[in-house]
Amino acid sequence: MNRVPTLAPQPSSGMIPDREFVRSDFYNEVPRPMGGFYGVVTPLERSPLLQAFFVAGRRLGREDYDDDDISVIRVLSQHLAGSLQVAERIAGAEMLVSGVCAALDRPDAGVILVDAGGKVLFANRSAGNALSQCDGLLCEGDRLAASHPRASSDLRRRIAACAQSGHVVGDCGGTLTVPRRPGRGPWRVHVAPLRFDDFHRDIDPLARVYPKVIVVAFDLHDEAQARKDIFHRKFGLTRAEAAVALEVLKGDGREAAAARLGLSAGTVRTHLMHIFEKAGVHRQAELVRILLDSTIA
C-alpha cells in the first residue's frame, strides 16, 4: 500500500497473486473474516501528519475489478481527496477562529468588533458583561453606544470614520473616556479600523457583514492597579511609592500629584527620592521613561 502512488487505484490482485494472497496474514486477519477477497486501494493523501486511503472490497466468489471499475474508483477517489482537503481547511479555519477568540478573550480588557454601521459582531467576556449590565457601554438595538450621550456620539463618530477611511487619520479612531456608573472608574476606549482591504479577495462575497472596527475598553481603575503591581514587582516600590510613581506619569507636576493623593508636597518629594534610588535614576524625565518602558513591557 505504501508503494501505491497517490490517487492511483491499485487492485490487490496487481500487488500479490491470488495463491499467495490466500496464505497471507493480511487476508486471513482482515478480508477473510468479513467474507471478502478482491480489493482496490487508493491513497488519498500522504503527509507527515496524515495518511488517508480509500479501500473498496468484493465478497469472496465475485469477479476481480476490471478497467471500467478502476476508472470509476479513480474519479470517486479524486472527489474524496478534494473533500478531504476541504474538511482540513474547515478544521484549520475553526482552529484559527478558536485561537483568535481565545486571544481576544482577555480578562483585562473588553474587546468588541463592529461592522461599518456600529453593529456588534463580537464581544469578549469582559465586554459582554459590560454591555449586558449597561455599564458605560451598551447596545441600542444591536449598535454599540455609551450611556453618556456625548460619549456615545463621540464613539459612533469615531467608528463611522474608521469604517469609512480604513486608517487612523485625525478624528478617525483614537482614544476617548467613557463614564460609567457612579462609584466606578471610567473606561479608556480605543477605537481603530480593521484592515480588510488586502484580504477582500478571500472574503466570501455572500458575507456582506464583517468586522470593520475594533473597540477595546480598559477599566482605568484596573489599569492603574496593574501598573502599580508592575512597579512593585520590577522596582520593589511600596504601595505608597507606586501610587506616587503612577501620578508622576501624568506629567503635571509634584504639587498636582500631591493634591490628588491627599499628601503634602514634602511627602511626595520624599517618596520620589526613594523611587529614584530603587529605579536607579537621578532625574524625573529618566524616571518617567523607565516607568513607561516597564508598563509597555
Side-chain angles (χ1 to χ4, degrees):
M1 289 175 65
N2 289 329
R3 291 196 298 267
V4 178
T6 303
L7 296 180
Q10 179 65 52
S12 58
S13 58
M15 293 186 281
I16 182 172
D18 291 354
R19 62 180 179 275
E20 294 182 22
F21 184 53
V22 296
R23 295 196 299 267
S24 68
D25 291 337
F26 175 76
Y27 170 71
N28 286 282
E29 293 176 6
V30 183
R32 183 178 180 180
M34 296 189 298
F37 191 82
Y38 290 116
V40 176
V41 59
T42 310
L44 301 178
E45 180 176 336
R46 284 195 178 99
S47 72
L49 298 178
L50 176 66
Q51 293 198 49
F53 298 87
F54 169 56
V55 180
R58 283 181 172 168
R59 293 194 173 277
L60 180 63
R62 295 193 61 183
E63 295 181 356
D64 194 3
Y65 291 87
D66 59 24
D67 291 343
D68 290 339
D69 297 328
I70 298 300
S71 296
V72 172
I73 291 175
R74 181 178 292 108
V75 173
L76 177 59
S77 298
Q78 291 171 351
H79 285 292
L80 290 174
S83 298
L84 184 61
Q85 293 174 3
V86 170
E88 290 175 344
R89 290 183 63 185
I90 292 174
E94 289 176 344
M95 291 179 63
L96 176 62
V97 169
S98 297
V100 170
C101 289
L104 292 176
D105 196 17
R106 45 185 295 179
D108 62 332
V111 180
I112 304 169
L113 304 182
V114 300
D115 66 9
K119 178 181 179 181
V120 175
L121 303 178
F122 170 85
N124 71 353
R125 196 172 310 172
S126 297
N129 290 336
L131 293 175
S132 64
Q133 298 171 12
C134 298
D135 186 15
L137 295 170
L138 52 88
C139 282
E140 291 183 346
D142 56 5
R143 296 180 62 201
L144 183 63
S147 303
H148 192 277
R150 182 175 298 177
S152 186
S153 176
D154 189 12
L155 175 62
R156 287 184 168 176
R157 177 174 55 81
R158 292 174 184 272
I159 289 174
C162 283
Q164 183 176 7
S165 68
H167 57 279
V168 180
V169 176
D171 288 337
C172 173
T175 303
L176 66 152
T177 300
V178 175
R180 299 170 71 183
R181 293 196 299 262
R184 306 199 66 177
W187 293 108
R188 184 198 304 276
V189 178
H190 301 277
V191 183
L194 283 175
R195 299 298 303 273
F196 276 95
D197 297 347
D198 297 332
F199 306 101
H200 277 165
R201 63 184 180 276
D202 297 325
I203 296 176
D204 186 340
L206 297 179
R208 302 190 180 188
V209 177
Y210 54 89
K212 293 284 286 184
V213 180
I214 182 170
V215 179
V216 184
F218 292 93
D219 186 320
L220 288 183
H221 175 76
D222 292 344
E223 190 178 47
Q225 187 58 52
R227 285 189 170 188
K228 291 178 184 178
D229 291 341
I230 291 173
F231 298 159
H232 171 70
R233 291 194 307 269
K234 191 164 186 177
F235 305 110
L237 303 187
T238 66
R239 182 179 301 178
E241 291 166 352
V244 170
L246 188 62
E247 293 298 327
V248 166
L249 285 178
K250 297 179 180 178
D252 53 359
R254 299 179 187 179
E255 289 75 14
R260 285 192 294 268
L261 293 171
L263 301 174
S264 67
T267 301
V268 169
R269 189 179 303 109
T270 300
H271 283 316
L272 277 175
M273 291 174 58
H274 295 158
I275 295 170
F276 284 168
E277 182 179 352
K278 292 179 179 180
V281 298
H282 300 90
R283 294 185 300 171
Q284 190 162 320
E286 292 180 90
L287 177 63
V288 169
R289 179 185 58 78
I290 198 171
L291 291 178
L292 287 174
D293 287 345
S294 67
T295 57
I296 292 173

